[in-house]
Amino acid sequence: MRELVENLIANFSHDNLIKLFRNKTRSFSRYNPEDFSHINDDLFSECTLLGSFETTDDNLELLVFTAKTNNDLSERSGKKRQYELGKRVLKEQLRYSGGFFIFYDSKGNFRFSLIYDIPLPNGKVKFSNFKRYTYFVSPDQTNKTFIRQIGEAEFTSLPKIIEAFSVDKVREEFYHEIATWYFWAMDKVRFPDDYKYSSDQTKDAEIRNSTNLIRLLTRIIFIWFLKEKKLVPLSLFDAAFLKRIVKDFYKGKESSNYYNAILQNLFFGTLNQKMNERAFAREGDFSQNQKEYGVKNLYRYADKFAIPSQEAIALFKDIPFLNGGLFDCLDKEDETGKVIYIDGFSRNPAKQAIINDYLFFQADEERVNLSAYEMGKDKTVRGLFEILKSYSFTIDESTPVDQEVALDPEMLGKVFEELLASYNPETSTTARKATGSFYTPREIVDYMVQQSLKHYLLTNSHLDEATVEHLLSFSDETPALNENQKKEIIELVDNIKILDPACGSGAFPMGILHQLVYMLQKLDPDNKIWYDLQYSKALEETQEAFKHSDKNEREELLKEINESFDEHINYPDYARKLYLIENCIYGVDIQPIAIQISKLRFFISLVLDQKIDSKKENYGIRPLPNLETKFVAANTLIGINVSKNHTYYTDKIRQIEKEIAVLRHKYFLAKTRSEKRRYQEQDKMLRNELKDELLKLGYTLDWSQKIIAFDIFDTNAAAHWFDPEWMFGVTDGFDIVIGNPPYVSTKGVSEKDKKVLQQ
């Protein structure tokens, strides 16, 4: 069976497709193709009903339909139109409950999809509630998952066919390989030990390595998604190419120049630096180099390259600047001016991070004993890039009714929460409960999202329950609403405040983002109402909060709105996501590395909805927002018990709080290192003012010190308390606070208008 699948990939044709289906099910009946040219259009030609077959399910017959795409097929091209065509065919051919839809181009690429109508609870079908599972297949890819799962599949019943499209198997296999690599690498990497995680030396080393390895994985897998979007060249991960680029590249187990020369310069000197400002830091001591001291977005390690510096810079020249904080170097000065090294991006060999080349590039599987991590005595492991290259990745985000059988951004949540949960360095044991990490399955997330939004809409709108459920469903049909009703709901969406107090890797915040975006697509397909709301709000901000700012800053804010909605620059969902993230969604977790993973998932979600244009500045890619003010590492079990009655909560304190809120709002869209540093310094000054004011009014030094000590921009530390007003500027509570099983907490959240969902 694998041979038939491999044959189809190597030489796509109707004959090879028919051979595959004949071997998969004996009931594949109609071999004379039926011409469906009446539905050919600008995108599709040669539409053909190739055949059909019965399954063992009651009255369930599936068709096999093919169409040639008039343009070259890619992972994302025409994907929505393909789905629409498939649903149209099923609506016209009522005898079929679903079918296989194969879209192919002249180069041998094809999309292999299963589309079927989801029955209603009474067993009836309406042909309006479809579901699609799909593979993108190309002769240029490994297609490992497609070959294995379709090769082994039985097309005898719908459940068995759906199993052939299961992404869970892929995720489990990928997680197993990544976890094995992670524990294998744990005692083989070295990071600077300036930052102390524990007073116990052994635990300190374990926590340091586990935290930095997970951070490294988040950065690399994010870059892997960028590679899928053609924003990072494949050559940076190609061993044959790198042998002439990196000095002593992979000459043996001791070689370690690749991580410093390529990856660290990619992280900090490229993705975190504007394209026209990229350069190597000058050599020399502090007296010779004062201007560049502490500047961590200039290239380093010229001596680790086998090519001249200008050629090294050229390796990265076509990679856009991203911003966003994920690639901020964490090596920073403390209060005394001493640099505390965490990432180890330094010209001082004693402060450099060391990761050997073979950990990335070892092609041969090695058997290792990981029983110390309760992973088994006889595990097989290979280099990280060898693992990543053997899987299909997709930059498209799955929905409950449309799933790509590939590793998508949602996969990150499962993989990283499993890693966070699998090893507790405080006790040196495998201990899910000890870490408090629990991965919430997609079905549970979707249910919690829909129930919480349903309650919010029913409470705050004039809609009836049936209309709300219809609006939240993934049905093709849009509820019959007038313009005033649509505007009312969109305004409710714009004003909603949602908190996940134990967000982990961001499963619930991402789930609610997707649901809100889907609602906006239905209610406002042209983004007109959403644009008017955001522009009006920006005008108000320029008149009030930004009234002391200069003219350029006000103009920049309005320009930002227009560019976000410009469909020459972005897909329509970009503006929907950006302003939902900025105004509506908040996340907290006790683990700083979990917060980084949450931010990573939102970054990917924003990047994939941007269009690439090589003729535009930064290739048309808009720098990512700074999510430090949206996702915070803190302990939501402990509130800050400060009285805020009229006696103590003075106008001065309110003014300082307002200034902090305005500043952090500005920080969200800050794009340059100098701009971000300026806001961070201003934030610190305001916090000092706030502390002094609180001390004057009789607050204890303990609570006042907590406020000044909390640095929302320090991504490596967690606050041991939580307060939504000090941290997020939210004064009236949240509309939705999610309780993620088994964690339920409402500490530190206003009782007013609070809705807690517990499932």
Side-chain angles (χ1 to χ4, degrees), residues 403-472:
Q403 296 184 25
E404 184 89 15
V405 188
L407 296 172
D408 67 352
E410 185 191 346
M411 165 274 304
L412 292 172
K414 182 172 177 58
V415 168
F416 285 115
E417 286 204 15
E418 291 283 357
L419 283 181
L420 290 171
S422 62
Y423 182 62
N424 179 9
E426 285 296 326
T427 59
S428 300
T429 60
T430 301
R432 177 179 298 274
K433 289 183 180 177
T435 65
S437 296
F438 291 83
Y439 179 74
T440 309
R442 176 63 183 266
E443 295 78 13
I444 301 298
V445 170
D446 292 335
Y447 177 77
M448 294 164 74
V449 164
Q450 292 207 346
Q451 292 302 307
S452 57
L453 287 176
K454 175 183 172 181
H455 185 72
Y456 172 72
L457 291 173
L458 287 175
T459 304
N460 294 283
S461 75
H462 299 94
L463 301 181
D464 59 72
E465 187 169 358
T467 302
V468 169
E469 289 179 347
H470 193 180
L471 180 62
L472 292 169

Side-chain angles (χ1 to χ4, degrees), residues 675-740:
E675 190 180 8
K676 288 193 283 187
R677 288 191 67 171
R678 185 173 74 251
Y679 287 145
Q680 290 172 14
E681 290 167 3
Q682 290 174 3
D683 189 272
K684 186 175 180 179
M685 290 174 57
L686 287 169
R687 284 185 280 121
N688 272 315
E689 281 187 43
L690 185 60
K691 182 192 76 169
D692 292 342
E693 197 66 24
L694 290 170
L695 288 173
K696 288 179 188 176
L697 294 168
Y699 286 86
T700 64
L701 181 62
D702 178 48
W703 289 112
S704 303
Q705 196 60 41
K706 283 187 178 184
I707 292 168
I708 183 61
F710 172 64
D711 183 358
I712 201 168
F713 310 108
D714 185 351
T715 58
N716 206 48
H720 298 294
W721 54 276
F722 173 67
D723 184 273
E725 187 167 346
W726 301 133
M727 293 178 173
F728 294 138
V730 175
T731 57
D732 295 326
F734 295 90
D735 300 289
I736 296 173
V737 179
I738 194 67
N740 189 15

